[in-house]
Amino acid sequence: MNEATAHLLFDAVERMEKNIIAWACPAIVLLEGRDKLALNYYDYLRDVETAEEIENRAAEKALEIGAVRWVLAVPQVWLFKPPSTIAVRAVSNHPLREGEQEAITWMSFDREDGVDYGRVAYVRRPNQEPVFEDPEIFDVGIRPAESMPGFALLQRFLAEE
């Protein structure tokens, strides 16, 4: 990941952390091209169809500004299933179940460097204040499902470019 994309990622993560602290859960898309845009979508986690529609709208905006890089960040709950499967669900006010962890799932795209995936895991103190880890970039082979945050955005952006 180059420095410009890393800067965009840290900006997206910082914005998402502030929202999580405020008990808000939007998806955040940062786009950088001729202009810089920050888009917040509070209904992203409603269902798969809504998420796909939002990602398609974000792709249209990215194309409008000639985006050379973008980052999508989404708060989710991760469930680790042995031996090597990860499932995700929308965040909620319900307690986490065994094997679950809250995280910011993110995808970045840079025209020169390609695509990166990762997450920012976090835990909550007894008073519910979140404590965030540093962003983690997956450096192992990832096969994202069509429902992964950013999948539709990437497909639409690349198809239209």
Side-chain angles (χ1 to χ4, degrees):
M1 175 179 295
N2 67 35
E3 189 175 322
T5 305
H7 179 72
L8 201 63
L9 171 62
F10 286 117
D11 186 4
V13 167
E14 182 179 319
R15 290 168 187 253
M16 183 59 71
E17 288 175 355
K18 287 178 182 176
N19 276 282
I20 290 168
I21 290 168
W23 292 95
C25 298
I28 294 175
V29 183
L30 298 184
L31 308 168
E32 192 173 286
R34 289 183 302 275
D35 295 313
K36 280 183 150 181
L37 291 177
L39 309 170
N40 295 323
Y41 297 104
Y42 286 88
D43 53 348
Y44 184 92
L45 295 172
R46 182 181 320 159
D47 54 50
V48 173
E49 294 79 20
T50 301
E52 186 174 334
E53 180 183 310
I54 285 169
E55 289 188 29
N56 285 328
R57 288 195 320 247
E60 289 172 17
K61 286 290 187 188
L63 292 165
E64 274 180 37
I65 67 163
V68 294
R69 69 188 53 83
W70 50 258
V71 173
L72 168 70
V74 179
Q76 293 185 310
V77 173
W78 287 44
L79 173 60
F80 298 91
K81 297 179 177 182
S84 60
T85 302
I86 299 170
V88 296
R89 68 173 174 82
V91 294
S92 71
N93 291 328
H94 300 291
L96 295 175
R97 293 172 276 199
E98 186 175 334
E100 291 185 330
Q101 180 179 32
E102 290 180 290
I104 299 166
T105 306
W106 59 266
M107 176 190 282
S108 69
F109 171 83
D110 184 285
R111 193 168 290 179
E112 293 178 9
D113 287 346
V115 177
D116 285 305
Y117 306 95
R119 72 183 192 137
V120 177
Y122 62 99
V123 296
R124 293 187 185 270
R125 293 186 170 137
N127 67 359
Q128 297 302 306
E129 176 187 356
V131 178
F132 300 95
E133 293 181 7
D134 291 330
E136 173 184 2
I137 298 175
F138 300 139
D139 55 5
V140 295
I142 298 284
R143 176 168 283 151
E146 289 183 18
S147 60
M148 180 176 177
F151 187 87
L153 171 56
L154 179 64
Q155 299 304 312
R156 175 76 182 270
F157 181 76
L158 293 176
E160 298 292 327
E161 199 175 38

